[in-house]
């Protein structure tokens, strides 16, 4: 029998230090250490993030190996996030990965973070909420339409994170085409910057999500930008929110406190409608019927529900990663590394991390 393919993967692109172990494309562990140090600064401080990665990386790798029940000698290759991200943070993970691959004499797999977010939809995991289950909550017909466990190629993915907003056409695990993207802010930034204007701590996306659950999304109609094609823009919305809050707070200093749930629901509702309007357009244009969402903002409860509703109404198959694979995690790096391993797509030990990355 062939030796199983066992990948140890490291993710350190921003403010989560994560390590996962996969065997033959199934995840055995996925350990994530967050960094609360940034909360008091209202955003990620790159220097502090690098130092926290230095502190966390060895214990996180150790925990991932133990949880997986794996020894270092079981590993077939080391995968790591090569780009994009904060350069100091990426360097901690990439240099650790290179050293480990060198010491063990095994190949190195350099992974693109955004490609990995997309492939989170291919993680076969026991705890993964199947699209059928998820869709059943939206409507019974959607459950029938989405009875598949994972998307079939070609599929479309709306990747929404703190730094990116993209519509990706995926031909195969390693062949992806960006067919739409943001011209300015990312969707996650729109959430985080709006939250900051409302006086909420970083990261604001999950807090807006929480307040929005009990708010009225139609109370404050924020504008939807008219951008041609499949691209997005969120800077106009940010400016509209800034002026809206400035004007209302001038006449009533308690305006935000009194209306927080409705403001959050209205902001979230507009971000979702901007995203799904373009995603629907992309699906109709390409004729692709399997649709996924990915990235930190795909953890948003309003987006998840609205996406499932849209897919049900259009008769498309909808796929959403479970929460732990939406925000940054090494599980998605492991799965991408697995496909790269099968493809023989190895990186030299001289490979360097990069803050920016073209597709
Ligand atoms: O993918 P991710 O973890 O990191 C990047 O690659 O950027 O995404 C982080 C982003 C942040 O902007 C955060 O506010 C947002 O995802 N986010 C959310 C939610 N959970 C995370 N935004 C809205 N609702 C959520 N529940
Ligand atoms: Zn990410």
């Amino acid at each position: 029998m062939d030796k199983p393919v066992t990948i140890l993967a490291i993710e350190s692109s921003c403010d989560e230090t994560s390590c996962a172990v996969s065997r033959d494309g199934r995840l055995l562990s996925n350990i994530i250490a967050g960094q609360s140090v940034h909360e008091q600064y209202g955003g990620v401080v790159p220097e502090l993030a690098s130092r926290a990665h230095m502190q966390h990386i060895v214990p996180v790798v150790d925990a991932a190996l133990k949880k997986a029940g794996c020894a270092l000698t079981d590993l077939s290759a080391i995968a790591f996030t090569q780009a994009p991200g904060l350069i100091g943070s990426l360097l901690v993970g990439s240099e650790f990965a290179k050293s480990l691959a060198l010491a063990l004499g095994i190949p190195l797999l350099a992974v693109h973070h955004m490609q990995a977010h997309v492939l989170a939809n291919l993680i076969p995991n026991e705890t993964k909420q199947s699209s059928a289950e998820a869709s059943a909550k939206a409507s019974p017909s959607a459950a029938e339409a989405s009875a598949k466990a994972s998307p079939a190629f070609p599929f479309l993915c709306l990747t929404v994170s703190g730094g990116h907003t993209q519509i990706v056409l995926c031909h195969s695990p390693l062949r992806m085409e960006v067919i739409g993207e943001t011209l300015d802010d990312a969707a996650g930034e729109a959430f985080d910057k709006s939250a900051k204007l409302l006086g909420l701590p970083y990261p604001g996306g999950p807090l807006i999500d929480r307040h929005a659950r009990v708010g009225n999304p139609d109370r404050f109609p924020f504008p939807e930008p008219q951008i041609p094609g499949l691209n997005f823009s969120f800077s106009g919305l940010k400016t509209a929110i800034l002026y809206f809050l400035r004007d209302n707070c001038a006449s009533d200093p308690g305006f935000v406190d009194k209306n927080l749930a409705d403001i959050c629901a209205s902001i979230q509702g507009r971000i979702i409608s901007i995203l799904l309007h373009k995603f629907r357009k992309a699906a109709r244009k390409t004729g692709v019927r399997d649709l996924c969402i990915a990235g930190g903002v795909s953890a948003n409860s309003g987006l998840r529900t609205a996406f499932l509703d849209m897919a049900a109404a259009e008769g498309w198959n909808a796929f959403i990663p479970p929460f732990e694979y939406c925000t940054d995690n090494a599980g998605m790096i492991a799965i991408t590394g697995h496909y790269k391993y099968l493809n023989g797509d190895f990186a030299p030990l001289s490979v360097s991390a990069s803050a920016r990355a073209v597709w």
Side-chain angles (χ1 to χ4, degrees):
M1 216 172 79
D2 287 344
K3 198 179 169 217
V5 177
T6 308
I7 310 281
L8 182 139
I10 291 167
E11 153 63 33
S12 69
S13 65
C14 190
D15 60 344
E16 262 104 19
T17 319
S18 180
C19 179
V21 177
S22 69
R23 176 157 298 153
D24 288 335
R26 299 186 79 83
L27 283 189
L28 301 180
S29 62
N30 182 44
I31 305 291
I32 304 169
Q35 302 181 355
S36 52
V37 63
H38 307 289
E39 273 165 26
Q40 57 187 303
Y41 299 102
V44 178
V45 183
E47 175 64 23
L48 295 179
S50 313
R51 290 185 202 187
H53 284 303
M54 294 290 288
Q55 257 179 343
H56 293 157
I57 193 149
V58 173
V60 164
V61 168
D62 187 40
L65 282 165
K66 286 201 171 105
K67 173 129 197 256
C70 259
L72 284 171
T73 47
D74 296 332
L75 300 178
S76 313
I78 308 294
F80 70 99
T81 305
Q82 189 238 339
L86 300 172
I87 191 64
S89 294
L90 288 166
L91 283 170
V92 177
S94 62
E95 294 311 298
F96 187 90
K98 284 157 69 173
S99 309
L100 201 52
L102 174 68
L104 296 171
I106 56 176
L108 191 62
L109 303 155
V111 172
H112 191 296
H113 183 84
M114 299 312 293
Q115 189 170 30
H117 268 306
V118 174
L119 296 186
N121 279 286
L122 300 187
I123 295 175
N125 185 281
E126 279 47 72
T127 61
K128 184 168 172 172
Q129 182 189 32
S130 76
S131 57
E133 264 176 72
S135 301
K137 286 187 189 152
S139 84
S141 59
E144 284 158 34
S146 290
K148 294 190 282 183
S150 52
F153 293 101
F155 65 79
L156 281 177
C157 185
L158 172 69
T159 320
V160 272
S161 72
H164 293 78
T165 302
Q166 301 176 324
I167 298 178
V168 184
L169 175 58
C170 306
H171 301 279
S172 69
L174 301 178
R175 195 160 74 83
M176 299 184 185
E177 206 184 322
V178 178
I179 60 171
E181 62 190 327
T182 185
L183 303 175
D184 38 59
D185 289 351
E189 263 175 300
F191 271 106
D192 296 338
K193 287 180 179 172
S194 302
K196 199 167 186 176
L197 291 173
L198 293 170
L200 299 172
Y202 179 87
L207 294 172
I208 291 197
D209 189 354
R210 199 189 308 154
H211 291 294
R213 281 173 211 205
V214 289
N216 172 8
D218 301 320
R219 171 97 186 275
F220 303 112
F222 293 112
E224 176 155 353
Q226 301 303 314
I227 307 293
L230 298 176
N231 289 331
F232 304 89
S233 169
F234 289 99
S235 63
L237 176 63
K238 182 182 63 189
T239 310
I241 294 167
L242 178 72
Y243 290 148
F244 165 82
L245 291 175
R246 187 197 59 186
D247 295 348
N248 282 288
C249 291
S251 51
D252 176 6
F255 177 76
V256 169
D257 284 346
K258 283 181 218 158
N259 299 288
L260 187 59
D262 288 348
I263 300 171
C264 287
S266 300
I267 292 171
Q268 177 171 301
R270 178 52 75 216
I271 294 174
I272 292 170
S273 78
I274 294 171
L275 291 170
L276 292 186
H277 179 190
K278 291 300 173 106
F279 203 26
R280 179 187 286 113
K281 196 169 175 180
R284 287 183 178 164
K285 193 172 164 198
T286 57
V288 170
R289 304 182 59 81
D290 281 16
L291 269 57
C292 309
I293 56 175
V297 179
S298 68
N300 182 269
S301 58
L303 176 62
R304 292 166 89 94
T305 306
F307 169 58
L308 293 172
D309 287 348
M310 177 186 83
E314 301 275 355
W316 294 325
N317 303 315
F319 302 89
I320 310 177
F323 285 105
E324 66 175 310
Y325 305 128
C326 289
T327 45
D328 288 347
N329 68 91
M332 66 187 194
I333 307 300
I335 204 79
T336 310
H338 179 78
Y339 285 110
K340 289 201 151 205
Y341 185 93
L342 297 183
N343 223 28
D345 189 355
F346 303 122
L349 284 173
S350 59
V351 67
S352 57
S354 167
R356 296 188 176 278
V358 280
W359 280 68

